[in-house]
Amino acid sequence: MNTIEINDPYIGEWTTFIETDKTYNGDIIIDAYCDDILYKKVGSVYYRRVLEDSRVDIRWFGALPDGVTDCSDAIQQAFISADQFKLSVTAGKGTYLVTKTIYIPQNDDPTFLSKTYDFNESVFLVLSDFTVFESGYYNQGTLVSAIGTDKDYKMCFGIKFRNFSLLTTLYDVTSPALMIKDWHQGCEIYNISSQNFSTLLKSINNYYTVFEDLRTTHHNEARIGERFIFSGDMNLNVFRSLVAANSLVGYKFDGPLTACHFDAISIEGVTTGIQFNSYVFNCSIVNSYLEGFDRAFEFNSYIYNFTIDNNYIRFVSPNHRLIKYTGLPMNNIHLLSNNTFIGMSGYDQLFENIENNYGYGMEMSFNPVQSDSINNLLTDDFGANFNINGKAKFPTYLANIQNAKGLIPGNYSGQYTHGYDGTSGFEVDSSLSNLVHVKTKIKHTWTQIVYVNLEVYVGSVVKYYKGFFIGNVFYEFGSSGISVTGGLKSIVNSDGFIDIQGGSYESGDIISVKGEVRLI
């Protein structure tokens, strides 16, 4: 094959073109491809630039790393050209001025071929408030933003986006520096740093993606911004070596997480370290550094399984708390023994219940951090009304923190319920003054027993309802044994919760109802 040598006008180096009639991805070359950057036509002969590792350099398209030249359009064209011919992107090391958002084309190759954007530790300089890089897709041939499209409208596979820093002369950039959407199997964001950006990354609906070595801080020591924002579904993601310092929220999750893993992340100088605003399935945080937080973890929905393992945790103030959560019956948090606690003045710093009346599914196993044995802990030690089953487990101590208010764990609210409203497993409906009507949060089930033990005051008269439901049949305890009666009825609501209702009206107004209703 014939070759020709051409001096690149931007990098000032001689580059080799080889004679061919095929593009890099095997298509036939046409005149429209001849841009004198990747393809060139001399007479009737086509030539293709010889590439190293199938990568194009943004400098070939006019992006000059001098910190002065506006490189936005050149970088965008490099992305488009590379995407057209299934090539990757690189850059000569330096500082590139960017003045508008650059779209990253989707890589929806069903064969999962990788596509790499490696900027060789370059710097992107931002002088105004806008998003620097954003997921894009082709709409009738025009590359546009993917933000706002339906879930998985344009999936991406195997994108590697890495090795650069973001700098700004502004006091604060409020727009997210990076916005990515629908990145799935094999995608990775790696080795990116930013300073004075309130949000480094906004991630929307990304699965099987690795977020690694992302470092961000802010000069404002008063704490500002949410450094990492994750929304949409998040499944099987890995968050490794992330730093979110001097922020209101370090890592904010507005969508559900399933089987995600946090490893060697930093929570420092933040009001809230990691905030979960949707349910969490089988996630963990390990080998991480937590210090200078008001609340390290905040759970505002169901925690089906979350494990805290082998972390360094340092409390700076006695007002700081490790875990803030909403009391829900499916909560399942494991605080394992190989976490190191420094500066903790009391066990009440471990948990804070948002509603302060209900706890379930907390398991702690750790070496004592103060002189008291965990077997001697009181409910007040945890800032909420926990029932603690303490038992020694050499060489550590184990406490299973479950239902509130000294009730027997597992009976009042368990796998099939959402807890209870009242102190005894029910809430009395007083809208009908002479009819027993108690509302529960027990889910309707035909295969379990609902136990009832109620003391009803009708004026000065006391009546007792003692027995159990199987399905909607009430078996009542009496002096002669157990019999089916119509004393109480089980009413299934449209939401699946059951109410317990008297079989007939009482002779007078009901003054109070005491006792318990529990799922066996």
Side-chain angles (χ1 to χ4, degrees), residues 56 58 61 73-85 87 89-90 102-105 115 117 119 124 133-134 138 143 161:
V56 303
I58 62 175
F61 297 82
D73 292 337
I75 297 171
Q76 185 68 86
Q77 186 57 53
F79 284 16
I80 293 172
S81 295
D83 186 63
Q84 182 179 9
F85 302 110
L87 303 172
V89 176
T90 189
I102 299 166
Y103 298 122
I104 309 166
K115 182 177 182 61
Y117 296 82
F119 298 103
F124 294 102
F133 293 109
E134 188 170 304
Y138 293 99
L143 186 59
F161 203 77

Side-chain angles (χ1 to χ4, degrees), residues 147-164:
I147 308 303
T149 57
D150 293 337
K151 174 182 175 181
D152 292 335
Y153 177 65
K154 294 290 184 180
M155 286 192 239
C156 294
F157 306 107
I159 293 181
K160 318 291 185 184
F161 203 77
R162 61 197 188 194
N163 294 334
F164 64 89

Side-chain angles (χ1 to χ4, degrees), residues 364-378:
M364 295 190 311
S365 174
F366 56 91
N367 292 303
V369 293
Q370 59 185 35
S371 59
D372 293 339
S373 165
I374 200 166
N375 293 311
N376 299 323
L377 290 177
L378 303 175

Side-chain angles (χ1 to χ4, degrees), residues 39-63:
Y39 305 99
K40 188 174 184 65
K41 187 176 183 181
V42 179
S44 60
V45 180
Y46 292 109
Y47 291 87
R48 184 179 70 198
R49 189 171 192 149
V50 176
L51 303 181
E52 182 178 347
D53 298 327
S54 298
R55 298 185 181 189
V56 303
D57 192 317
I58 62 175
R59 294 177 298 172
W60 302 347
F61 297 82

Side-chain angles (χ1 to χ4, degrees), residues 194-239:
S194 75
Q195 191 173 72
N196 288 10
F197 286 78
S198 287
T199 302
L200 170 58
L201 171 68
K202 185 171 183 180
S203 164
I204 305 169
N205 197 60
N206 296 300
Y207 312 154
Y208 301 91
T209 296
V210 176
F211 304 89
E212 183 172 3
D213 197 12
L214 308 180
R215 307 167 306 279
T216 174
T217 188
H218 206 288
H219 282 145
N220 186 355
E221 296 182 359
R223 301 178 182 177
I224 189 170
E226 299 164 333
R227 294 290 181 270
F228 297 92
I229 301 174
F230 300 88
S231 62
D233 291 339
M234 289 155 282
N235 303 325
L236 290 163
N237 293 324
V238 174
F239 308 90

Side-chain angles (χ1 to χ4, degrees), residues 192 328 439:
I192 299 172
L328 295 169
K439 300 178 180 180

Side-chain angles (χ1 to χ4, degrees), residues 442-480:
I442 299 173
K443 279 287 190 179
H444 170 58
T445 172
W446 295 108
T447 58
Q448 287 193 280
I449 297 174
V450 176
Y451 170 71
V452 178
N453 182 14
L454 298 178
E455 184 179 77
V456 179
Y457 286 78
V458 183
S460 59
V461 178
V462 181
K463 297 184 65 175
Y464 296 94
Y465 292 93
K466 299 181 179 181
F468 56 88
F469 282 96
I470 299 179
N472 63 350
V473 178
F474 184 57
Y475 296 81
E476 191 164 7
F477 301 132
S479 58
S480 58

Side-chain angles (χ1 to χ4, degrees), residues 212-452:
E212 183 172 3
D213 197 12
L214 308 180
R215 307 167 306 279
T216 174
T217 188
H218 206 288
H219 282 145
N220 186 355
E221 296 182 359
R223 301 178 182 177
I224 189 170
E226 299 164 333
R227 294 290 181 270
F228 297 92
I229 301 174
F230 300 88
S231 62
D233 291 339
M234 289 155 282
N235 303 325
L236 290 163
N237 293 324
V238 174
F239 308 90
R240 183 184 296 120
S241 301
L242 307 185
V243 178
N246 298 336
S247 58
L248 291 174
V249 179
Y251 313 87
K252 180 181 178 182
F253 292 87
D254 289 327
L257 281 80
T258 301
C260 292
H261 181 65
F262 300 83
D263 187 357
I265 71 167
S266 172
I267 296 175
E268 297 181 68
V270 296
T271 301
T272 301
I274 308 180
Q275 182 183 83
F276 301 95
N277 294 319
S278 189
Y279 61 75
V280 175
F281 272 112
N282 300 91
C283 296
S284 61
I285 178 170
V286 302
N287 310 324
S288 296
Y289 185 91
L290 292 73
E291 180 183 37
F293 50 81
D294 290 1
R295 301 293 179 271
F297 306 101
E298 180 178 314
F299 296 94
N300 294 315
S301 187
Y302 285 101
I303 315 160
Y304 291 89
N305 198 324
F306 190 83
T307 300
I308 304 172
D309 183 17
N310 198 43
N311 303 287
Y312 177 91
I313 303 167
R314 181 173 181 267
F315 296 89
V316 177
S317 165
N319 296 321
H320 294 168
R321 298 291 183 270
L322 181 65
I323 298 171
K324 182 178 181 180
Y325 71 100
T326 301
L328 295 169
M330 294 183 182
N331 288 345
N332 190 2
I333 297 178
H334 303 278
L335 181 60
L336 301 188
S337 61
N338 51 355
N339 292 287
T340 297
F341 296 92
I342 303 295
M344 189 167 78
S345 59
Y347 288 107
D348 60 328
Q349 293 187 256
L350 293 177
F351 295 106
E352 176 185 4
N353 189 330
I354 292 173
E355 297 173 351
N356 201 37
N357 65 358
Y358 182 79
Y360 180 84
M362 303 293 174
E363 179 180 286
M364 295 190 311
S365 174
F366 56 91
N367 292 303
V369 293
Q370 59 185 35
S371 59
D372 293 339
S373 165
I374 200 166
N375 293 311
N376 299 323
L377 290 177
L378 303 175
T379 56
D380 291 342
D381 290 327
F382 288 88
N385 297 312
F386 292 108
N387 181 60
I388 300 171
N389 296 328
K391 59 182 180 180
K393 184 180 180 183
F394 186 82
T396 64
Y397 293 94
L398 174 68
N400 292 309
I401 305 172
Q402 299 192 16
N403 291 319
K405 303 188 183 303
L407 304 181
I408 300 173
N411 288 342
Y412 290 82
S413 50
Q415 182 178 0
Y416 300 103
T417 75
H418 280 204
Y420 50 83
D421 293 333
T423 59
S424 300
F426 61 83
E427 175 189 12
V428 176
D429 177 10
S430 58
S431 60
L432 298 173
S433 59
N434 58 347
L435 179 68
V436 175
H437 186 198
V438 296
K439 300 178 180 180
T440 78
K441 289 292 185 179
I442 299 173
K443 279 287 190 179
H444 170 58
T445 172
W446 295 108
T447 58
Q448 287 193 280
I449 297 174
V450 176
Y451 170 71
V452 178

